[in-house]
Amino acid sequence: MSWIVLVLSGVLEAVWATALSRSEGFSRLGPSVVFVVACALSMAGLAYALRELAVGTAYAVWVGIGAVTTVAWAMATGAEPISLVKVLLLLGIIGCVAGLKLLH
C-alpha cells in the first residue's frame, strides 16, 4: 500500500508544481488553491509512505515521479518543447525509479 500511496503522491507533486507555475506568484486564486491542496496531499502521502519505506528510496521515487510527470505534462500541453534527448533522459529517470522499487 505504501508504494501505491507514494506513486500517487509523486503524481500530486506534478499537480502542485504545475499549479504553482500557473498561479503567477500566487496572484491567481484557482491555481493557488490547487497548489495548496495538492501540496498538502502530496506531502501527507509521502509521510504515510515513509512509515514503511526508507527515506532515501521513498524521496528519490517521489521526486522522480513528480519530475517526470511535470515535464511530460508540459511537453504534452506544448508548454515545453519535446526533444529526443529530453525523452531519453526522462526514460533514464523512470528506469532509476523502477530500479529502486525492484531493490526494495
Side-chain angles (χ1 to χ4, degrees):
M1 186 65 170
S2 292
W3 281 102
I4 293 168
V5 171
L6 185 63
V7 169
L8 293 174
S9 296
V11 172
L12 283 170
E13 184 187 2
V15 171
W16 67 250
T18 301
L20 180 60
S21 172
R22 294 189 179 168
S23 76
E24 296 176 9
F26 297 115
S27 65
R28 296 181 59 216
L29 181 61
S32 297
V33 170
V34 170
F35 165 78
V36 170
V37 171
C39 188
L41 291 172
S42 180
M43 293 294 174
L46 177 61
Y48 175 85
L50 288 174
R51 296 183 338 181
E52 293 183 14
L53 304 174
V55 67
T57 299
Y59 184 71
V61 168
W62 181 73
V63 169
I65 291 170
V68 168
T69 306
T70 302
V71 175
W73 178 257
M75 290 189 310
T77 60
E80 192 166 321
I82 300 171
S83 73
L84 177 61
V85 172
K86 193 178 292 186
V87 170
L88 291 173
L89 291 169
L90 291 172
L91 289 172
I93 294 172
I94 292 168
C96 290
V97 166
L100 286 170
K101 167 61 173 121
L102 291 173
L103 290 175
H104 186 268

